[in-house]
Amino acid sequence: MIGRRVIPFLAELSFIILSLLAPSIQGFFIRPSAHCLHSTRESLSRREAANVSEPAATRAPPRTGIAQKVLDMALGSPLWKYLLVPQARAKIVSTAEANQIPWTSAKEWISGEMQTEITADPPLSTTTIPAYYQQSFHAYDKGNLSWEAALEVEIASCAVGARNFPQFGSNGEEAFRGAFDSALIEAGAVVPKAGRILDMGCGTGMSTRRLASNFPQAKAIQGVDLSPYFVAVGKRLLELAPTSFHEGGPWVSNIERDARIEYFVGDASNALQLKEIQEESFDAINLQFVLHELPPEVAILVVDEAFRLLKPSGQLWICEMDFEAPAYAAQRANPLLFSLIRSTEPYLDFYAESISDLFSYVQSKFQHVKVVPATGRHFALVATRRGTGYDGEASFDDQRFDEDGNYRVEDTHLQLWESKGN
C-alpha cells in the first residue's frame, strides 16, 4: 500500500536545494544540543516512571508566523517545482554515480525491460485510492502513482543507503537494512515453521524479498501496496531476477525468484477486502517506512487491520524514523530545514508529533511491545498479540536509550550538506 520503504528525496532533496540557495548553509543547522539531550533524558525518565510512551520534550515549535507562511508560499511556487527540484534531482543522480551507484544505467535497464507496460495505459486496479495518497510525494507530481517513482525507488534507496552508512560506500543500503534485521531480532521477532508473513506497504518488494531471505522457514510472504505501478515493477523484478552491479549485473541488488512471494494491489487499512487475505491468518505483519507517510488517523486504522489479520500470539513489526532520537529531533527543531523536508513528505510533521501516541495505541492493543534502536535515527518495534487465554497485563519495553538518556546506537549518517561523492 502506502509508501515505498525508503525516503528517496526526503533529506537529500531538501539539503541540495538549501545548498543551491545558500553556499554557507551550514550555519542554518541546529545540531543536537545539551538541551536536546537533557530533554530526552527527562522524557525517558517520565516514560519509565509511567511505563508508557510520552511525547519527547524536544518537539519543534508550531509551524506558524509570517516567516513560516512566506516559506510555505515559496515552496508552493513555480520556482520550487520547475527550477530547484530539477536541479536537486540532477545533483542526486550525479552524487549517486560518484558513489559508484549506477543510477542512469540501472534505470535505463528496468525501463527497457518494462517498455510495454510503461507505454500502455496505467495499471488497472479495483482498489479505491484514498485522497491522501493522490498527492505529491518525494517531489514526484503524482507521488506513488507514477512509473517514474516506481522505476527509481530501489535505485534511490541504494543512493540513500550510501548516506546512511557512508563507511560502506555503495554497500550502504545493505548495511542500513541489515541494521533493521538485527534490531528486529533483538526486539524478539520470530516466525514459526510454515508461518505466513504479510508486508504492508511493500512498494516494489525490497522489504518483501528481504523477509523471504531472512525467514526461509516461512511458507508464504505476501506484499500489499496501494500503488499499482510499484506492484507492477515489483512483480517484474521478481520475474527477471537480476544480479547486482557489484557482480556485473544491471540492477542495484541481487534478486532471486521465490515462489513463496506474492504481490497484491490493496489498501493496508482494509486488506480484508482482498480475497487472498483472511482474518487471523498471519504469524507476522511488517510495516517498514510506511507510517510516516500516513495521516495519524490512517496509521491507527492500519494498526487495527494488522491486529485483525494476526493470529493469536502473532507479531506486528514496525521499522521507522525516530523523532525522539537526538539527530532527528534537532532537524525538526530547525524551521527552515524541516519545512523543506516536509514539503516532500506531507504527513511527516503529523507523524513526528504523534509517534508517542502511536506507541501508546499499539501498547493498548498488544500483549507485549518492545522498541529498540536500529540506527542512530530509526527504531524497530515488535508487538506481540495476546495469545488464546492470556489474561496478563500489557507491557511496554523501550530500550532505545541507555541509563544516562543517550540513544543506544551511534548516528553514522552523513551531515545533510555533505556528499560522500565529493
Side-chain angles (χ1 to χ4, degrees), residues 4-229:
R4 275 122 336 281
R5 313 273 117 204
V6 298
I7 319 159
F9 299 112
L10 176 60
E12 186 86 11
L13 177 70
S14 301
F15 270 88
I16 288 173
I17 288 175
L18 281 174
S19 67
L20 291 170
L21 291 173
S24 58
I25 197 64
Q26 288 91 328
F28 286 97
F29 298 113
I30 299 177
R31 295 174 174 82
S33 63
H35 169 70
C36 285
L37 294 176
H38 177 70
S39 298
T40 299
R41 293 189 186 102
E42 288 183 344
S43 177
L44 175 63
S45 299
R46 290 195 303 270
R47 283 194 298 269
E48 288 177 338
N51 195 31
V52 296
S53 179
E54 294 186 1
T58 54
R59 59 177 42 166
R63 315 293 170 185
T64 59
I66 296 176
Q68 182 67 53
K69 291 181 179 179
V70 171
L71 182 57
D72 288 342
M73 289 177 60
L75 295 177
S77 71
L79 175 68
W80 163 263
K81 179 177 179 180
Y82 296 110
L83 178 61
L84 295 178
V85 168
Q87 288 187 56
R89 286 178 57 86
K91 180 62 175 178
I92 291 170
V93 174
S94 64
T95 300
E97 300 277 358
N99 282 282
Q100 287 77 53
I101 297 168
W103 185 302
T104 302
S105 63
K107 185 179 179 182
E108 289 176 351
W109 174 78
I110 187 60
S111 298
E113 293 291 342
M114 297 197 66
Q115 189 61 36
T116 300
E117 294 92 332
I118 293 171
T119 55
D121 290 333
L124 296 177
S125 171
T126 58
T127 299
T128 300
I129 305 298
Y132 78 84
Y133 196 79
Q134 299 182 41
Q135 59 180 299
S136 172
F137 277 91
H138 306 137
Y140 296 104
D141 279 348
K142 296 183 179 180
N144 305 334
L145 301 173
S146 68
W147 283 118
E148 185 175 24
L151 295 170
E152 289 186 337
V153 60
E154 297 202 16
I155 309 169
S157 179
C158 188
V160 171
R163 297 193 60 90
N164 292 331
F165 283 84
Q167 67 271 36
F168 291 93
S170 60
N171 288 308
E173 172 71 357
E174 176 63 26
F176 181 62
R177 293 188 179 271
F180 288 96
D181 296 342
S182 299
L184 284 172
I185 297 302
E186 179 187 350
V190 294
V191 175
K193 184 177 180 180
R196 300 182 70 232
I197 304 173
L198 178 63
D199 192 16
M200 286 181 161
C202 66
T204 58
M206 282 182 285
S207 54
T208 320
R209 301 191 304 262
R210 197 168 188 97
L211 290 170
S213 176
N214 290 344
F215 299 99
Q217 74 274 27
K219 179 180 180 180
I221 303 94
Q222 295 175 304
V224 176
D225 199 276
L226 258 176
S227 172
Y229 299 88

Side-chain angles (χ1 to χ4, degrees), residues 10 79 173 186 188 191 227-228 244 255 262 310 331 364 367 373:
L10 176 60
L79 175 68
E173 172 71 357
E186 179 187 350
V191 175
S227 172
S244 166
I255 297 178
E262 293 181 285
L310 283 169
Q331 286 184 14
S364 74
Q367 169 190 341

Side-chain angles (χ1 to χ4, degrees), residues 139-390:
Y140 296 104
D141 279 348
K142 296 183 179 180
N144 305 334
L145 301 173
S146 68
W147 283 118
E148 185 175 24
L151 295 170
E152 289 186 337
V153 60
E154 297 202 16
I155 309 169
S157 179
C158 188
V160 171
R163 297 193 60 90
N164 292 331
F165 283 84
Q167 67 271 36
F168 291 93
S170 60
N171 288 308
E173 172 71 357
E174 176 63 26
F176 181 62
R177 293 188 179 271
F180 288 96
D181 296 342
S182 299
L184 284 172
I185 297 302
E186 179 187 350
V190 294
V191 175
K193 184 177 180 180
R196 300 182 70 232
I197 304 173
L198 178 63
D199 192 16
M200 286 181 161
C202 66
T204 58
M206 282 182 285
S207 54
T208 320
R209 301 191 304 262
R210 197 168 188 97
L211 290 170
S213 176
N214 290 344
F215 299 99
Q217 74 274 27
K219 179 180 180 180
I221 303 94
Q222 295 175 304
V224 176
D225 199 276
L226 258 176
S227 172
Y229 299 88
F230 281 79
V231 170
V233 172
K235 289 181 177 180
R236 188 73 177 115
L237 283 171
L238 199 60
E239 294 171 356
L240 293 167
T243 55
S244 166
F245 66 90
H246 289 111
E247 299 179 11
W251 195 232
V252 292
S253 64
N254 288 320
I255 297 178
E256 297 181 0
R257 294 186 180 91
D258 193 327
R260 299 174 300 156
I261 297 177
E262 293 181 285
Y263 298 122
F264 304 101
V265 178
D267 188 337
S269 67
N270 193 14
L272 279 172
Q273 283 194 338
L274 297 171
K275 67 180 188 311
E276 296 85 0
I277 305 294
Q278 292 82 39
E279 191 169 347
E280 294 191 347
S281 61
F282 290 96
D283 298 279
I285 293 179
N286 186 56
L287 279 167
Q288 191 169 71
F289 300 138
V290 172
L291 297 181
H292 73 271
E293 296 191 355
L294 306 179
E297 63 273 15
V298 179
I300 294 300
L301 292 176
V302 171
V303 171
D304 286 342
E305 188 73 346
F307 185 84
R308 281 191 290 270
L309 299 180
L310 283 169
K311 298 176 183 177
S313 299
Q315 293 182 332
L316 171 63
W317 305 338
I318 299 175
C319 296
E320 261 297 354
M321 306 166 71
D322 190 349
F323 280 94
E324 292 186 352
Y328 272 147
Q331 286 184 14
R332 190 168 180 246
N334 186 320
L336 172 63
L337 163 58
F338 204 76
S339 292
L340 285 165
I341 291 176
R342 68 191 177 94
S343 69
T344 67
E345 290 277 357
Y347 304 109
L348 191 62
D349 217 10
F350 298 104
Y351 165 78
E353 192 74 10
S354 63
I355 184 171
S356 293
D357 294 334
L358 175 66
F359 283 173
S360 296
Y361 187 74
V362 171
Q363 181 186 358
S364 74
K365 301 279 291 187
F366 289 82
Q367 169 190 341
H368 178 68
V369 181
K370 185 172 182 178
V371 190
V372 301
T375 79
R377 303 184 182 192
H378 302 85
F379 69 82
L381 178 153
V382 172
T384 303
R385 181 176 167 173
R386 290 174 174 83
T388 303
Y390 179 85

